[in-house]
């Protein structure tokens, strides 16, 4: 398989303000390429004419499609229309426009929730579309499956070198710490931190704490995406994970240790558990020469530090205004 060289290339990162897109931009600083970005005010990715005009003007050689409407289990379950519509439209706009301006290579980012709720573990890429989806996030999953299929369809019909990567549950700097819309990791960091600061006796965890999740630091994910962009060119999507999972209760205990909160953990059983387990097989990506580097405990400690620094910077900003 011929390697794709990023040297001298114009590389568009769609979604550069998000956690994944910003990590890809950080990682691309080590490559001899020019990174292109556009803010939401400059380019609304849900408007087809704007996307096509921007692509025509800027003519990127390569595209990382990291733009998406994302959220945790509660947001996914509460706003199904937003998650389905916005993701389908923006990925269709970008992929079609990339085809029209002859983008040499495009990497589309999906999610491990594309797989059936009760898929055999660890989940191999071939499990796609072999069973019912998890109801709390089927809308987002359907949009992401459509993205994979678009890349495959443009490869099959037009020969475009469009590939897809399916990351597991990601965390790291730049995450969303809003308790209603966030994923579990930033939510637990915020809750444990607030409990420590206020001297509260307990933190509340949604659901039973028994679901298992696989977590990957976003810098590892960015590294994997750049690696795939360089070495992979084929029809199938590729899983991007850490290779091991923990229960939500174990995760809560790890976060509490990192934050320094020693109180009780209580459960809010009115909130959903979601899928019982989604540990992906990383065999395909390993076979392509990539393994993750950041251990979960180290990643949590670094993310907590970034959260504290961000909170501090925000307070300084407010008091200076
Ligand atoms: O991270 P999370 O929202 O996403 O939730 P999913 C993971 C697990 O953590 C669920 C539990 O069992 C939650 O009930 N949990 C415990 C919490 N406490 C909390 C909390 O305070 N906040 C949150 N958010 N969860 C999402 C999908 O599924 O994962 C998306 O909805 C996407 O489509 C993303 O695939 C990666 O892993 O359940």
């Amino acid at each position: 398989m011929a390697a794709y060289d990023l040297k001298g290339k114009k590389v568009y990162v769609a979604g550069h303000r998000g956690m994944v897109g910003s990590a890809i931009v950080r990682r691309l600083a080590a490559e001899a390429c020019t990174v292109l970005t556009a803010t939401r005010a400059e380019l609304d990715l849900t408007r087809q004419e704007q996307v096509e005009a921007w692509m025509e003007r800027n003519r990127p050689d390569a595209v990382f499609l990291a733009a998406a409407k994302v959220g945790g289990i509660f947001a996914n379950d509460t706003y199904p229309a937003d998650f389905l519509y916005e993701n389908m439209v923006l990925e269709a706009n970008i992929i079609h426009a990339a085809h029209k301006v002859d983008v040499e290579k495009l990497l589309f980012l999906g999610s491990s929730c594309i797989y059936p709720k009760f898929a055999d573990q660890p989940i191999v890429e071939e499990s796609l579309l072999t069973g019912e989806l998890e109801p709390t996030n089927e809308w987002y999953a359907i949009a992401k499956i459509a993205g994979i299929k678009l890349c495959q369809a443009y490869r099959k019909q037009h020969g475009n070198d469009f590939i897809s990567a399916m990351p597991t549950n990601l965390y790291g700097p730049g995450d969303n710490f809003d308790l209603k819309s966030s994923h579990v990791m930033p939510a637990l960091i915020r809750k444990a931190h607030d409990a420590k600061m206020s001297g509260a006796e307990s933190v509340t965890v949604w659901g039973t704490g028994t679901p298992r999740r696989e977590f990957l630091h976003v810098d590892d994910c960015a590294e994997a995406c750049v690696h795939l962009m360089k070495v992979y060119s084929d029809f199938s999507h590729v899983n991007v994970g850490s290779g091991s999972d923990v229960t939500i209760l174990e995760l809560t205990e790890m976060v509490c240790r990192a934050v320094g909160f020693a109180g009780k953990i209580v459960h809010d059983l009115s909130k959903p558990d979601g899928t019982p387990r989604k540990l992906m097989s990383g065999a395909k990506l390993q076979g392509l020469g990539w393994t993750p580097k950041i251990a979960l405990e180290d990643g949590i400690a670094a993310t907590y530090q970034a959260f504290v620094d961000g909170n501090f910077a925000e307070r300084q900003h407010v008091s200076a205004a």
Side-chain angles (χ1 to χ4, degrees):
M1 205 178 284
Y4 183 72
D5 193 356
L6 286 169
K7 196 167 165 208
K9 296 288 161 77
K10 280 199 285 183
V11 182
Y12 171 41
V13 180
H16 73 289
R17 290 247 169 106
M19 178 172 71
V20 178
S22 57
I24 292 174
V25 171
R26 283 198 299 279
R27 172 59 187 78
L28 287 175
E31 302 290 326
C33 63
T34 304
V35 175
L36 306 179
T37 58
T39 62
R40 196 170 292 211
E42 290 162 346
L43 172 60
D44 180 346
L45 294 172
T46 64
R47 313 312 308 176
Q48 186 184 36
E49 331 75 71
Q50 289 188 29
V51 176
E52 293 195 352
W54 190 92
M55 288 287 218
E56 187 62 48
R57 268 198 317 279
N58 292 280
R59 298 210 152 250
D61 300 303
V63 174
F64 286 92
L65 206 179
K69 176 161 185 70
V70 297
I73 193 166
F74 185 73
N76 267 266
D77 204 23
T78 313
Y79 306 108
D82 295 355
F83 278 83
L84 182 55
Y85 171 76
E86 286 182 36
N87 286 306
M88 276 198 319
V89 168
L90 73 84
E91 65 202 30
N93 287 346
I94 295 171
I95 290 168
H96 185 66
H99 160 68
K100 280 181 80 174
V101 302
D102 293 323
V103 162
E104 295 167 350
K105 188 129 193 193
L106 178 146
L107 181 141
F108 168 70
L109 274 127
S111 160
S112 57
C113 72
I114 57 161
Y115 292 114
K117 176 172 179 137
F118 299 113
D120 287 344
Q121 314 276 320
I123 311 172
V124 292
E125 283 83 355
E126 293 73 24
S127 300
L128 183 64
L129 294 172
T130 57
E132 292 288 311
L133 296 166
E134 154 61 30
T136 54
N137 59 35
E138 66 178 309
W139 321 96
Y140 180 74
I142 291 284
K144 290 298 186 181
I145 293 169
I148 297 174
K149 290 293 163 193
L150 275 173
C151 289
Q152 292 178 347
Y154 280 80
R155 174 178 290 274
K156 183 173 151 84
Q157 187 179 333
H158 300 293
N160 291 125
D161 194 355
F162 294 172
I163 60 173
S164 302
M166 295 305 118
T168 186
N169 287 40
L170 301 173
Y171 72 96
D175 210 340
N176 166 21
F177 288 86
D178 170 68
L179 291 182
K180 282 214 179 82
S181 56
S182 69
H183 289 99
V184 62
M185 179 78 85
L188 292 177
I189 288 178
R190 157 146 269 155
K191 286 180 189 177
H193 175 78
D194 289 351
K196 179 175 101 170
M197 299 315 272
S198 68
E201 282 184 1
S202 61
V203 285
T204 303
V205 173
W206 292 357
T208 59
T210 57
R212 302 185 71 88
R213 293 290 184 275
E214 177 188 14
F215 293 94
L216 182 72
H217 192 281
V218 71
D219 287 342
D220 268 338
C221 178
E223 186 72 43
C225 289
V226 171
H227 184 74
L228 285 171
M229 180 65 99
K230 289 181 182 177
V231 308
Y232 186 69
S233 173
D234 215 336
F235 207 67
S236 169
H237 59 283
V238 181
N239 291 342
V240 179
S242 62
S244 59
D245 61 358
V246 291
T247 66
I248 295 303
L249 184 58
E250 285 163 349
L251 177 74
T252 311
E253 289 164 353
M254 289 171 103
V255 168
C256 288
R257 270 199 303 280
V259 169
F261 174 71
K264 282 194 299 228
I265 296 169
V266 297
H267 295 269
D268 175 356
L269 297 176
S270 71
K271 294 289 194 303
D273 271 345
T275 202
R277 191 176 189 200
K278 47 176 175 176
L279 175 64
M280 297 195 301
S281 164
K284 193 176 177 82
L285 186 52
Q286 262 173 35
L288 293 163
W290 185 86
T291 45
K293 294 193 185 71
I294 305 173
L296 184 55
E297 298 235 325
D298 297 342
I300 293 173
T303 306
Y304 178 52
Q305 191 54 50
F307 169 75
V308 171
D309 295 346
N311 263 0
F312 179 72
E314 210 171 279
R315 279 202 306 278
Q316 296 286 92
H317 181 71
V318 171
S319 57

